[in-house]
Each structure stands twice: as C-alpha cells, then as structure tokens.
C-alpha cells in the first residue's frame, strides 16, 4: 500500500503509452486514477505545483523535438482536439490527448535529470582508480590495490547494465548475450566476458536476463 509521500503506482507499470497529463502526474507521484491536473490544484495536492511544472516541461520538450510523441493533438476553440505537428504554434498542445511512449518518457527523464517521486536511486558503484595504460594499451582499474582486466570488465558491466537494475522488477535485468556481446566489443575475450557476467548477475538470474519478456512487460 502506498501513501501520500510514497504512492503505490505499480498498477501503471504495464502501461506503454501515456497522455502528457498522465505522464506529468505519474512523474510527480500522483495517481491519474485519482486526480487530473486541474483537480490537483483545486484540492491543493501537496505536489500540484510539481505536476504542473512537469507538464510544462513535457510540452516544451515536445515543441523542441526532444520528446517524440506517438500522436500530437492540438486544442481547438470548440474543444475538439485535432492532430497537429509537434512544432505547430497555431494551437496549444492538448495534454489530455497527446500520447507519448513509456520509453520516450524514460529517456527524457534520464537525459534531463528530472526527479521522479518514489523512484529508487541507482545503486552505488565501486569507485575505481584508473592506472596508466600498459603493454596492451588497455586502461586498467584498481580495487583495493589490486587491478586486472577482469575487474575492469566487471565494472563496465555494472556501469552499462546493472546500475539501472531494479531487484523488484526482474525485467530490468540485461540478458546474458547482450552483456557478453557488449564486453567483447570493449575488448574482452568470450570467456572473460562470460566470467564478468557471472560475477555481476544475481543468483536468481544466472541463466539469463529477462529481457526476452520485455515485449510484453515494458
């Protein structure tokens, strides 16, 4: 169960498309099933200013082309929305009808460092100290005074994939093939890439990540 400070919005987790209004409310930790933007202000919701500020930020990003839409609607004088281009200034963008994809919203949140109410911060990664390049010209990192290529690839896997992993949502785990392929692109041998993946991967996900199910869960 959630509360006003830590709302339970898990019932929105499978939704892949949001209106601008819904997105602004969700980012602000407000359930769109309980409020719309107007009512948050009328009922003096403690985060109504944040929700309205986020909605203006979303509209600005759409206008600037940094937040793509699935379909963009404009508001007409008679209240009937009509499809428009994102940069059409003749009509105001309809926050109740313009649709954005979950992935586009998340990318915008991450790129603009938008605070999301209730979102868990990424886990802290181990600080690593770079050393000068050695014979093979591959930069190496130290951990507690010890360094090796394997530890460097472990750190790269953590930063690239596991820093955004949510233990409460297994679908956020990377698959083994994509981790191995990425590390091989960074110069690791296949055996070393497999070993680094095993070190990083939680015991319940040792066989593979769950991204193969993301088509239906994310």
């Amino acid at each position: 169960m959630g509360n006003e400070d830590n709302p339970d919005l898990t019932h929105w987790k499978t939704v892949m498309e949001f209106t601008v209004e819904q997105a602004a409310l969700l980012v602000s930790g407000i359930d769109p099933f309980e409020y719309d933007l107007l009512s948050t202000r009328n009922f003096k919701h403690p985060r109504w200013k944040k929700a309205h500020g986020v909605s203006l930020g979303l509209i600005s990003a759409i206008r600037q082309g940094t937040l793509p839409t699935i379909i963009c609607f404009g508001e007409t004088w008679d209240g009937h929305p009509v499809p428009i281009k994102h940069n059409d200034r003749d009509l105001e963008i309809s926050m109740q009808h313009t649709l954005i994809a979950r992935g586009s919203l998340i990318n915008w949140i991450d790129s603009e460092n938008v605070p999301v109410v209730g979102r868990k911060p990424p886990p802290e990664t181990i600080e690593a100290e770079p050393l000068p390049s050695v014979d093979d010209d591959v930069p190496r990192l130290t951990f507690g005074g010890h360094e090796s290529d394997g530890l460097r690839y472990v750190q790269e896997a953590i930063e690239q994939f596991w820093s955004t992993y949510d233990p409460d949502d297994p679908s956020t785990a990377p698959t083994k093939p994509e981790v191995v392929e990425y590390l091989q692109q960074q110069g690791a041998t296949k055996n070393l890439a497999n070993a680094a993946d095993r070190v990083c991967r939680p015991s319940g996900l040792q066989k593979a990540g769950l991204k193969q199910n993301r088509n239906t869960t994310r």
Side-chain angles (χ1 to χ4, degrees):
M1 295 292 292
N3 54 49
E4 204 64 60
D5 296 323
N6 187 25
D8 181 7
L9 300 173
T10 53
H11 45 282
W12 286 89
K13 210 163 191 178
T14 58
V15 179
M16 295 292 107
E17 301 175 0
F18 306 102
T19 65
V20 172
E21 181 177 62
Q22 289 171 338
L25 292 168
L26 290 168
V27 169
S28 304
I30 302 173
D31 194 338
F33 287 144
E34 297 179 354
Y35 294 91
D36 56 22
L37 279 173
L38 181 61
S39 64
T40 61
R41 181 173 184 175
N42 291 343
F43 290 101
K44 300 299 182 185
H45 190 285
R47 290 189 294 277
W48 76 265
K49 290 183 179 180
K50 178 177 177 61
H52 282 256
V54 172
S55 70
L56 293 178
L58 289 165
I59 293 297
S60 295
I62 291 171
R63 289 288 195 201
Q64 296 296 319
T66 58
L67 175 59
T69 61
I70 296 172
I71 185 168
C72 187
F73 282 99
E75 296 180 346
T76 60
W77 64 272
D78 59 358
H80 291 90
V82 295
I84 61 172
K85 293 182 178 180
H86 71 276
N87 57 355
D88 187 343
R89 301 280 177 168
D90 293 332
L91 297 174
E92 292 293 327
I93 290 177
S94 172
M95 290 189 287
Q96 290 74 35
H97 297 90
T98 298
L99 291 177
I100 55 180
R102 172 187 285 272
S104 299
L105 175 62
I106 292 174
N107 289 339
W108 176 75
I109 288 170
D110 292 340
S111 64
E112 300 299 326
N113 294 316
V114 178
V116 178
V117 175
R119 190 184 198 189
K120 294 181 180 180
E124 294 184 2
T125 56
I126 302 172
E127 291 293 332
E129 177 186 350
L131 289 179
S133 299
V134 290
D135 295 342
D136 55 4
D137 292 327
V138 177
R140 300 190 181 191
L141 306 177
T142 63
F143 293 79
H146 178 68
E147 57 85 15
S148 73
D149 287 338
L151 290 175
R152 177 167 67 87
Y153 293 126
V154 166
Q155 178 68 8
E156 289 193 5
I158 292 172
E159 292 177 352
Q160 182 70 19
F161 298 102
W162 295 103
S163 60
T164 56
Y165 168 61
D166 180 358
D168 295 329
D169 183 3
S171 68
T172 60
T175 63
K176 181 183 181 69
E178 69 181 329
V179 175
V180 171
E181 180 181 0
Y182 172 78
L183 293 179
Q184 286 184 285
Q185 291 173 352
Q186 307 310 305
T189 64
K190 185 173 183 179
N191 287 340
L192 191 53
N194 275 292
D197 176 76
R198 284 197 299 273
V199 169
C200 298
R201 188 171 297 280
S203 57
L205 301 173
Q206 282 296 330
K207 291 185 177 180
L210 299 179
K211 271 191 178 176
Q212 59 266 32
N213 298 324
R214 286 190 180 181
N215 289 335
T216 58
T217 60
R218 187 172 176 180

